[in-house]
Amino acid sequence: MPTAFIPFTLRATAREGHLRAFRTDIERLTSDHRAPLSTVGSTDTMACLRGAIAKGEHTENEASLARYLEDRLLRNGIHLDITVNLER
């Protein structure tokens, strides 16, 4: 059975104390081929990204997806404040 993917947008802002790494963190996010994200727009302190993720418990609502993505980002040493919007 094919896997369903849920499209979403992610707004990332530079976390306090990590402003210098913001651009590098965004580049790391958009170059990760396991979870491709495309940049919709960005400044030196904010970026809007679009992507899709396999449907699962973490896609039940925007808060659960945000928690899931924040955990993954932190495990990879990426420190961003994010908000997520599901596009159903």
Side-chain angles (χ1 to χ4, degrees):
M1 180 154 43
T3 302
F5 283 84
I6 306 296
F8 67 94
T9 56
L10 180 148
R11 183 178 186 274
T13 54
R15 185 169 283 177
E16 189 169 330
H18 296 276
L19 180 60
R20 297 179 81 186
F22 180 74
R23 302 299 285 154
T24 301
D25 288 344
I26 296 302
E27 288 174 14
R28 288 174 59 197
L29 282 176
T30 57
S31 66
D32 183 356
H33 300 292
R34 293 172 298 181
L37 292 169
S38 58
T39 304
V40 176
S42 69
T43 67
D44 288 337
T45 59
M46 186 278 306
C48 182
L49 309 170
R50 179 171 286 135
I53 193 163
K55 185 176 182 177
E57 288 182 21
H58 56 280
T59 60
E60 289 296 318
N61 56 53
E62 292 170 346
S64 63
L65 181 56
R67 279 191 303 277
Y68 174 80
L69 293 173
E70 284 173 344
D71 288 345
R72 289 190 58 177
L73 294 176
L74 287 173
R75 275 185 269 156
N76 290 311
I78 297 175
H79 302 277
L80 300 171
D81 291 324
I82 65 170
T83 56
V84 175
N85 292 308
L86 294 171
E87 298 177 4
R88 296 187 191 249

